[in-house]
Amino acid sequence: MPLRIFSILLLAASLMLILPTAWAADNVNIGIKTILASNDKQYQDPQLEGIIDELQTVFRFTAYRLLGQDRLSLATGETGNVSLPGGRVLSVTPTGSRGNRTQMDLGITKAGRRIFETRIELLNRGTITVGGPRHENGFLLLNITSE
Amino acid sequence: MKTPPRNKLCSTEQLSRFHDGELDARERRQVESHLPNCPSCRIVLEDFDRLGHLYRRQADQALAAVDMSALEQSLLTRMQQRGGASAGWRTWLKPTRLLIPVTVAALALVFFMIPRPFNSVPNGSAPSAIINSFTGSVTSVMLFETPNTHQTIIWFKEDSTANGENDAVENL
């Protein structure tokens, strides 16, 4: 009897593990962290541990604050939108894959006007940071990771 | 109506079929019309009757000698023994019926839980992102790559935000 219970539990665990993976195999999972970088009083958001060190190799901001965190699961050709501060909207559209990279279109619109559009090939589990839009007394950094 | 030859009407086979009710209506009528004129055929039919009575009586005696309750009990016992034996096999086979799916499940778990270096975070010298195209209402665009993990950074200045550009540049 314990063997049967163990077997059933093992099967259930496998299904729980395999089914979401199989379902997600056709989708691209993308994590987006919206960060406000500024020269305010020194502050490093603990939720950005690991990211700030990497950003500090390029930027010289004194404060990094996580404003929002979003996760998109998109099929190829499907567009996901993320609301950004200042009435901006980030759109992400996976367009395919090549080797170990996911091809995707990134765009930012503000008040219905396209202010930024790029086509990239992002390494699987790789990260790209898009920055520049002003917000409050700092700048927005969009940390986009292919998960 | 043509009457069949006498030897056919008097055949034992024909009479046997008549006795057993196997003749069609026409043949039966022919035999019935023949019997009053043929003593030998009537004797044969009487023999069939006697033989049938004798057989039924013997069969009744044989059946009366059988202990039906004992036979029923014997059959039930045998069925239970057979059922018990197959149930024992089923019980024994139950774990093996799950053997294949459990093995597959275990292999799947191992496959998904083993860390796969080829699928881990890339740490080679390749940039995390390749920029194929860039368009927009921007005044300038800069591309960076972090030295440690070769993370690609796109820095752009919105066209509408002329003020503060110097600040942005100073922070790079």
Side-chain angles (χ1 to χ4, degrees):
Chain A
M1 184 61 76
L3 179 63
R4 290 184 63 197
I5 293 172
F6 172 74
S7 303
I8 291 167
L9 287 175
L10 189 62
L11 281 171
S14 303
L15 285 175
M16 288 171 64
L17 190 71
I18 292 167
L19 288 181
T21 308
W23 175 80
D26 294 334
N27 283 344
V28 177
N29 296 314
I30 298 162
I32 299 155
K33 289 185 174 73
T34 305
I35 303 164
L36 177 63
S38 68
N39 285 318
D40 287 348
K41 183 182 172 184
Q42 189 159 0
Y43 176 75
Q44 293 193 349
D45 196 319
Q47 298 176 88
L48 297 172
E49 189 181 3
I51 295 175
I52 294 174
D53 290 343
E54 197 63 26
L55 293 175
Q56 281 291 80
T57 61
V58 175
F59 300 117
R60 286 176 288 170
F61 295 109
T62 55
Y64 294 89
R65 190 180 304 277
L66 180 67
L67 298 182
Q69 191 164 355
D70 295 273
R71 194 175 298 267
L72 300 173
S73 181
L74 302 171
T76 301
E78 182 184 8
T79 299
N81 294 317
V82 174
S83 294
L84 303 176
R88 300 177 181 88
V89 175
L90 169 71
S91 64
V92 182
T93 308
T95 57
S97 62
R98 196 177 71 171
N100 58 346
R101 292 178 183 271
T102 301
Q103 298 170 318
M104 62 178 76
D105 291 341
L106 304 176
I108 296 177
T109 55
K110 184 178 181 182
R113 188 168 65 93
R114 200 73 155 177
I115 59 174
F116 164 89
E117 191 168 339
T118 185
R119 175 163 289 184
I120 66 170
E121 292 179 15
L122 184 60
L123 273 174
N124 297 334
R125 301 196 183 187
T127 299
I128 183 172
T129 300
V130 177
R134 286 193 63 88
H135 179 65
E136 296 178 348
N137 55 345
F139 298 89
L140 293 178
L141 300 178
L142 307 175
N143 191 258
I144 301 166
T145 301
S146 170
E147 299 173 340
Chain B
M1 187 174 70
K2 187 178 178 182
T3 305
R6 178 184 163 79
N7 59 348
K8 177 158 190 225
L9 290 171
C10 291
S11 74
T12 307
E13 181 188 351
Q14 185 80 347
L15 291 171
S16 175
R17 291 179 62 205
F18 173 79
H19 181 266
D20 294 340
E22 295 174 353
L23 295 179
D24 58 34
R26 186 178 60 85
E27 290 174 322
R28 193 176 64 249
R29 279 196 301 272
Q30 287 173 349
V31 173
E32 283 170 350
S33 61
H34 166 73
L35 280 175
N37 306 315
C38 184
S40 62
C41 285
R42 289 201 299 273
I43 290 169
V44 171
L45 282 174
E46 285 168 6
D47 287 344
F48 282 155
D49 281 340
R50 276 196 295 274
L51 193 62
H53 288 142
L54 181 65
Y55 176 78
R56 280 193 290 275
R57 191 167 63 244
Q58 291 293 329
D60 288 343
Q61 286 174 355
L63 279 173
V66 174
D67 185 352
M68 295 304 288
S69 61
L71 179 63
E72 182 182 0
Q73 187 61 43
S74 171
L75 285 171
L76 285 173
T77 305
R78 195 171 293 184
M79 286 168 66
Q80 283 174 352
Q81 285 173 347
R82 190 171 296 177
S86 61
W89 273 102
R90 281 199 294 272
T91 307
W92 188 81
L93 282 171
K94 267 179 185 172
T96 57
R97 277 194 306 184
L98 286 170
L99 188 62
I100 292 173
V102 165
T103 305
V104 172
L107 289 173
L109 276 173
V110 168
F111 177 76
F112 279 97
M113 294 181 77
I114 286 180
R116 283 164 284 172
F118 52 84
N119 206 18
S120 61
V121 178
N123 55 1
S125 58
S128 66
I130 298 169
I131 313 297
N132 289 329
S133 66
F134 189 98
T135 57
S137 303
V138 297
T139 56
S140 66
V141 179
M142 288 182 276
L143 299 178
F144 302 95
E145 187 178 306
T146 61
N148 299 332
T149 60
H150 304 281
Q151 191 180 118
T152 304
I153 296 174
I154 301 176
W155 186 270
F156 70 95
K157 295 174 194 168
E158 288 179 338
D159 198 14
S160 58
T161 55
N163 56 342
E165 285 184 0
N166 291 335
D167 294 342
V169 172
E170 285 171 2
N171 285 298
L172 296 174

